[in-house]
């Protein structure tokens, strides 16, 4: 895998006429499938990865398991790979610089890193450290700064645009490339944010959000799916399992199933 080439391609994908569409993957199988269906890049969902490995979302996934999952994804895809590293997983045992370096080592050319309920300066420091380690490694890492101003209602609704823009300036100065505003759907707010930041705007599929092609006119450069696909798969699995446990019928299990040979044939030896 050519990390520098993938990094260049990934950055360029954010500057196309239409927003980059990212149906987020949760494991190697879903990443391979998503790529085969035409996705130009793969981004992971931290929630989906955590759930697939038996952990709650929210910085609960052990670093070694996460790295192994990302390495397994990188093994089966050819397009650029961006990884949601939540808050960065920095601990007394693992510095943020080391965490970022290890994700780059296993194939990441982009990261999402979030502020959550922390003060913006905390994320600024993390962005700066991530940028420095990537530069030392010779990789133009795409750093997507996620802010939870909308998703967590960190300020009153009337102040959310201004607060988002204030954070965007700090994150840009710290070295971020993109701004991921989780939960924003109002077209006027989206346009105001995109018009007033140099960062490339990323939004996520959300109830009430306009289709991706319409978001282009508002300045959006990237639209993510987040955890909605694994959430939907969870619901479908629950229904199939409940029905089978209830009546033991086989028909629902294979009526919409992809052929075994088709799935198995997708994977490398």
């Amino acid at each position: 895998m050519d990390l520098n080439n993938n990094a260049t391609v990934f950055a360029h994908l954010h500057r196309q006429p239409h927003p980059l569409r990212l149906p987020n993957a949760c494991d190697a199988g879903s990443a391979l499938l998503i790529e085969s269906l035409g996705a130009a890049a793969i981004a992971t969902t931290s929630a989906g990865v955590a759930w697939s490995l038996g952990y709650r979302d929210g910085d609960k996934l052990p670093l070694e398991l996460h790295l192994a999952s990302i390495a397994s994804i990188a093994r089966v895809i050819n397009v650029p790979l961006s990884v949601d590293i939540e808050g960065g997983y920095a601990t007394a045992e693992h510095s943020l610089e080391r965490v970022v370096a290890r994700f780059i080592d296993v194939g990441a050319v982009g990261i999402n890193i979030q502020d959550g309920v922390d003060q913006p300066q905390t994320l600024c420091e993390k962005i700066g450290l991530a940028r420095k380690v990537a530069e030392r490694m010779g990789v133009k890492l795409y750093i997507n700064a996620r802010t939870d101003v909308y998703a967590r209602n960190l300020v009153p609704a009337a102040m959310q645009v201004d607060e988002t823009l204030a954070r965007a300036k700090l994150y840009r100065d710290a070295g971020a490339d993109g701004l991921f505003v989780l939960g924003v759907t109002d077209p006027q707010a989206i346009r105001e944010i995109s018009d007033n930041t140099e960062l490339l705007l990323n939004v996520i599929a959300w109830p009430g959000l306009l289709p991706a092609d319409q978001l282009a006119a508002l300045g959006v450069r990237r639209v993510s799916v987040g955890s909605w696909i694994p959430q939907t798969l969870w619901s479908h699995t629950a229904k199939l399992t409940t029905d089978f446990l209830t009546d033991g019928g086989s028909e629902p299990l294979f009526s919409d199933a992809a052929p075994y040979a088709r799935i198995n044939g997708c994977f490398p030896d």
Side-chain angles (χ1 to χ4, degrees):
M1 177 185 296
D2 186 337
L3 282 179
N4 284 316
N5 180 67
N6 274 355
T8 299
V9 170
F10 190 59
H12 181 67
L13 288 170
H14 291 79
R15 299 184 180 276
Q16 299 299 297
H18 298 288
L20 171 61
R21 301 181 190 184
L22 290 175
N24 301 67
C26 59
D27 56 20
S30 62
L32 181 66
L33 175 60
I34 290 167
E35 181 186 26
S36 74
L37 295 173
I42 296 295
T44 63
T45 157
S46 64
V49 173
W51 297 335
S52 74
L53 295 170
Y55 289 84
R56 295 182 64 177
D57 187 29
D59 295 291
K60 303 296 184 184
L61 181 61
L63 178 61
E64 297 302 327
L65 289 179
H66 197 171
L67 286 163
S69 178
I70 299 307
S72 71
I73 292 173
R75 182 182 70 88
V76 298
I77 65 170
N78 296 299
V79 296
L81 173 60
S82 182
V83 178
D84 184 344
I85 66 169
E86 303 189 79
Y89 306 121
T91 63
E93 183 181 1
H94 304 288
S95 69
L96 181 74
E97 298 99 311
R98 179 60 177 154
V99 170
V100 172
R102 294 189 69 189
F103 276 109
I104 294 174
D105 280 338
V106 296
V109 296
I111 59 169
N112 277 15
I113 188 164
Q114 65 199 47
D115 52 21
V117 297
D118 292 334
Q119 291 299 309
Q121 189 55 40
T122 300
L123 182 53
C124 289
E125 293 169 2
K126 293 177 180 179
I127 292 168
L129 291 171
R131 176 63 64 212
K132 287 179 182 177
V133 72
E135 289 177 349
R136 285 200 300 269
M137 297 177 72
V139 175
K140 183 62 175 74
L141 184 71
Y142 190 99
I143 301 176
N144 203 31
R146 179 183 127 180
T147 181
D148 286 359
V149 168
Y150 281 82
R152 294 176 183 258
N153 292 310
L154 297 182
V155 297
M159 300 171 59
Q160 287 176 333
V161 169
D162 288 343
E163 179 65 21
T164 298
L165 288 171
R167 293 181 182 223
K169 184 179 187 307
L170 293 172
Y171 300 157
R172 172 59 180 163
D173 291 346
D177 300 287
L179 177 69
F180 180 14
V181 186
L182 185 71
V184 65
T185 60
D186 178 65
Q188 183 176 344
I190 291 172
R191 181 184 293 278
E192 189 170 352
I193 293 169
S194 67
D195 283 349
N196 290 282
T197 179
E198 297 178 29
L199 296 176
L200 302 178
L201 182 59
N202 178 189
V203 298
I204 190 170
W206 207 262
L209 185 71
L210 292 171
D213 286 347
Q214 295 180 41
L215 291 170
L218 302 179
V220 173
R221 305 312 320 141
R222 171 169 162 180
V223 183
S224 306
V225 168
S227 64
W228 293 112
I229 290 176
Q231 285 178 246
T232 301
L233 292 174
W234 183 280
S235 178
H236 285 322
T237 301
K239 185 178 187 313
L240 287 170
T241 302
T242 299
D243 289 350
F244 181 72
L245 291 174
T246 299
D247 60 27
S250 298
E251 180 67 28
L253 296 173
F254 57 75
S255 60
D256 291 323
Y260 171 90
R262 181 189 303 169
I263 297 174
N264 206 44
C266 291
F267 292 90
D269 292 334

